[in-house]
Amino acid sequence: MRDKFPADGDHNLDSLPTLAMSAGTLGSLQLPGVMTRLRVDLMSYLRHVQWLRRAGGPSLKTLEPELGALQARLERLLRRLQLLMSRLALPQAAPDQPVIPLGPPASAWGNIRAAHAILGGLHLTLDWAVRGLLLLKTRL
């Protein structure tokens, strides 16, 4: 993404999940909370990637193969997460989050900014999840 569409600045999208974790809270993490939060956040990012593929228009056509692969990986990760939650007998139902309707970006630049925000937020969420799950693994 950055190679094809370099963009400086802070890109955000109000409909993305907010990462409310910090390094200081890693010590108090509990497995059910981490898994549920990860599932809810990944479902939101999957919905955003699907939206980006539909609403991206010609400005993001060159990213279509990468976005398709990302969508497939998110779907596979969610299935594996669901299976792991079943094996660990964790609650399956995630709390219902209000679904914010996603309208089309106002411009080609809006598409690119949205893509940067989605991919950047997903990267941070996955980084947090890896750190949290590795810490929890040592406790099990």
Side-chain angles (χ1 to χ4, degrees):
M1 170 79 184
R2 289 178 195 247
D3 293 338
K4 293 180 182 177
F5 298 105
D8 294 329
D10 183 30
H11 304 287
N12 55 31
L13 203 56
D14 292 338
S15 58
L16 289 173
T18 304
L19 186 62
M21 294 293 173
S22 67
T25 60
L26 282 174
S28 63
L29 292 178
Q30 299 295 321
L31 187 61
V34 169
M35 299 294 274
T36 301
R37 172 68 190 259
L38 180 58
R39 183 169 178 258
V40 168
D41 286 355
L42 289 178
M43 288 172 67
S44 177
Y45 279 106
L46 175 61
R47 190 170 75 83
H48 279 84
V49 169
Q50 291 168 337
W51 166 78
L52 193 60
R53 290 183 71 196
R54 279 191 317 270
S59 59
L60 295 179
K61 278 296 181 204
T62 59
L63 288 180
E64 179 54 34
E66 290 89 350
L67 290 173
L70 178 59
Q71 180 178 335
R73 287 180 180 155
L74 281 172
E75 290 168 347
R76 187 171 56 239
L77 183 58
L78 279 164
R79 282 192 303 273
R80 288 180 178 178
L81 186 61
Q82 185 74 25
L83 180 62
L84 181 60
M85 290 174 77
S86 295
R87 286 183 185 165
L88 296 174
L90 296 175
Q92 296 296 315
D96 289 334
Q97 298 290 326
V99 176
I100 299 170
L102 301 171
S107 66
W109 177 240
N111 290 333
I112 294 168
R113 289 187 67 211
H116 275 286
I118 293 167
L119 297 176
L122 178 60
H123 184 270
L124 289 175
T125 296
L126 292 174
D127 183 58
W128 169 82
V130 167
R131 292 170 191 265
L133 292 173
L134 286 174
L135 181 67
L136 288 170
K137 181 181 173 185
T138 62
R139 291 188 202 162
L140 295 178

